[in-house]
Amino acid sequence: MKILFLCICMMVIHFAKSQSIQRLEEVLPEDTLREGQGIIYGKFLQRIGFSGLGFPQDIQIECLETRKKFSFRVKDAFKIKKSRAFLYHVPVGNYKILNYCWTQSKLLGSVVYTEPIYKGCNAFEIYKSSKAGDFFKKQLQHFTFFVSGGTLNYLGTWRFDQSIVSFEEDREGLENRLSGRYRRLNFIAARVALPK
């Protein structure tokens, strides 16, 4: 009986470790910069045309130094607006963008997709292709960005509305809108940290 209990405990611990993706904390209007962390912000353009516009969408990232994985919301549930600003507290480090998580409505339920994001390719289409094996033999590269401590880090406009993801700099309109709400943050002093 003790062996069975021990095996179950080990399985639970293994499952918990393998599933540990920490959700980043969203920046509130009264927040300031925190020691040992930075703030990332930008604008996310979702894919219109999903038959799952009522579902939330998330991005998963990984810190290259610590191997810790994080996620943050880029589209709230029941929101159909094409673009959304995001602001999150994040530990200092180099990050790679892992996945885009979204849900598609089906006739009898829904399907959740965790779409890997790589430079210059549409991973979702590759999965549907009969040549997927050949594609994955190629060198795949993740987009990366760096977050400095005690700084605002502008990550640009995330163009996920296109089949191949891209990142563009378009600060002025976004920062004018955000500076009125987040008065304790100095957006003029923000670092540009577009994913590359």
Side-chain angles (χ1 to χ4, degrees):
M1 189 64 141
K2 287 182 180 180
I3 293 174
L4 178 61
F5 178 75
L6 183 59
C7 287
I8 291 171
C9 287
M10 288 173 50
M11 287 173 32
V12 168
I13 290 169
H14 174 72
F15 181 77
K17 277 187 168 185
S18 66
Q19 298 299 318
S20 62
I21 296 178
Q22 183 179 345
R23 185 164 294 280
L24 292 178
E25 186 180 339
E26 196 161 6
V27 176
L28 301 174
E30 65 274 5
D31 283 353
T32 58
L33 291 163
R34 299 175 179 173
E35 189 173 328
Q37 293 191 338
I39 290 176
I40 57 171
Y41 74 98
K43 182 167 66 173
F44 183 82
L45 298 177
Q46 68 165 319
R47 288 195 194 137
I48 298 297
F50 283 167
S51 54
L53 292 175
F55 293 100
Q57 298 174 17
D58 296 312
I59 296 292
Q60 294 175 344
I61 59 175
E62 180 180 13
C63 180
L64 297 175
E65 291 84 10
T66 64
R67 294 308 205 203
K68 287 186 179 177
K69 294 180 178 146
F70 302 92
S71 71
F72 60 96
R73 180 90 3 121
V74 290
K75 179 197 167 291
D76 294 320
F78 307 113
K79 303 288 183 184
I80 60 171
K81 191 174 180 184
K82 182 178 178 177
S83 68
R84 178 190 186 268
F86 61 86
L87 284 93
Y88 289 93
H89 294 282
V90 64
V92 172
N94 286 291
Y95 288 87
K96 67 179 176 181
I97 301 169
L98 295 176
N99 302 306
Y100 177 33
C101 304
W102 52 277
T103 303
Q104 185 176 33
S105 295
K106 296 288 185 181
L107 183 60
L108 297 172
S110 60
V111 177
V112 177
Y113 293 97
T114 301
E115 179 183 337
I117 301 302
Y118 297 108
K119 292 181 182 181
C121 71
N122 179 348
F124 186 64
E125 288 299 317
I126 291 162
Y127 282 138
K128 294 195 266 182
S129 169
S130 61
K131 298 181 181 179
D134 292 338
F135 179 82
F136 283 105
K137 290 177 186 172
K138 295 180 184 177
Q139 180 72 21
L140 298 175
Q141 294 181 328
H142 288 280
F143 290 97
T144 60
F145 60 91
F146 177 70
V147 175
S148 295
T151 62
L152 282 169
N153 298 270
Y154 171 67
L155 299 184
T157 297
W158 291 36
R159 300 295 310 261
F160 278 63
D161 58 331
Q162 304 167 354
S163 59
I164 296 179
V165 171
S166 64
F167 304 88
E168 299 172 356
E169 187 173 349
D170 182 22
R171 289 175 69 168
E172 192 173 322
L174 176 64
E175 290 176 353
N176 286 340
R177 197 176 67 193
L178 294 177
S179 61
R181 183 165 186 221
Y182 300 91
R183 294 195 171 130
R184 299 181 75 183
L185 300 176
N186 182 5
F187 289 98
I188 294 170
R191 294 178 58 251
V192 175
L194 265 64
K196 297 177 186 173

